[in-house]
Amino acid sequence: MKDPRQFTSDVFQTLCEWFEKKKATLETMVGSGAPFRDWIASESFLACKAREATYPFCEVAAGPSYASEGVGAETPLEEAGDLRVGGPGDGANHCWVFVEFAFLGKPVSSEGPREIDARASRLLRLGWKKSSSLLVVVLASHGDPLKEWAGHLANCGPWNRPALAMPFVINLPGGGSVAFKAIDIKRDPADTITPGA
């Protein structure tokens, strides 16, 4: 039986491996300068669906409602998250991951921390203690996104919480890179799922 930490790590690894195979598309998206958070969420759903039978996941849901988790929506825009994945054995042993994605691309600006804070605030509404309420921050740039965003994210509370794993960096064929960082967002920091937890 998988534990929540291992299950969450497996889901994050599934996403990273999927996007590693999409380097050319990522490069096109980054080069366009357009935000593509919704595309990331859709592709993440496809990544988990593709692995659903072999993992096995008991559920892979795109756009899961917060109401399904007992959280009343404050506005219509807050009704759905980006992804929910349940683990083997009908998600027993708290093997559930509810995901929100935050995308930060070009230009580097003070809007990035606001996006991260907004997504983290949504996850905090879940109040989960053992299952994962995962914030996946995707940074993209024509250089090193972790360095380029460092100054703007230095005081961003959710960004500075312990990460689930080291950021996963995908170097793009024509230059630049995309970094994925996963952070379990909990009300009580003692409940946070980290590599050593």
Side-chain angles (χ1 to χ4, degrees):
M1 174 77 56
K2 298 280 185 180
D3 64 36
R5 183 198 60 79
Q6 183 61 55
F7 178 68
T8 304
S9 295
D10 290 348
V11 170
F12 181 60
Q13 189 63 36
T14 296
L15 303 182
C16 293
E17 289 171 2
W18 181 267
F19 285 108
E20 179 75 30
K21 295 174 186 170
K22 302 250 175 206
K23 284 183 181 185
T25 305
L26 280 169
E27 186 168 49
T28 300
M29 300 294 262
V30 171
S32 73
F36 54 97
R37 194 189 74 76
D38 290 342
W39 178 80
I40 292 167
S42 296
E43 287 293 321
S44 296
F45 167 76
L46 293 174
C48 292
K49 283 302 272 187
R51 193 168 178 207
E52 186 174 29
T54 59
Y55 188 80
F57 294 134
C58 70
E59 175 190 279
V60 178
S65 72
Y66 277 86
S68 70
E69 305 304 324
V71 177
E74 294 170 9
T75 69
L77 294 177
E78 292 187 334
E79 290 179 345
D82 291 321
L83 179 69
R84 182 178 57 223
V85 183
D90 296 326
N93 197 28
H94 302 284
C95 288
W96 287 94
V97 178
F98 195 101
V99 184
E100 288 276 0
F101 292 96
F103 172 74
L104 283 62
K106 283 293 209 176
V108 175
S109 73
S110 60
E111 292 301 313
R114 287 188 204 129
E115 172 69 6
I116 291 172
D117 286 338
R119 297 285 165 186
S121 292
R122 292 172 58 145
L123 289 168
L124 283 171
R125 293 170 55 216
L126 291 172
W128 287 6
K129 292 185 177 188
K130 296 184 179 178
S131 295
S132 298
S133 41
L134 199 64
L135 173 65
V136 178
V137 180
V138 182
L139 304 174
S141 78
H142 298 294
D144 180 343
L146 293 168
K147 287 183 181 175
E148 289 181 20
W149 279 97
H152 285 286
L153 299 177
N155 296 316
C156 180
W159 175 260
N160 292 305
R161 289 181 180 217
L164 175 69
M166 293 294 295
F168 187 86
V169 179
I170 300 171
N171 294 312
L172 303 176
S177 59
V178 178
F180 291 77
K181 181 177 178 181
I183 307 156
D184 186 39
I185 302 295
K186 296 289 180 23
R187 291 179 185 171
D188 182 349
D191 294 329
T192 302
I193 296 173
T194 62

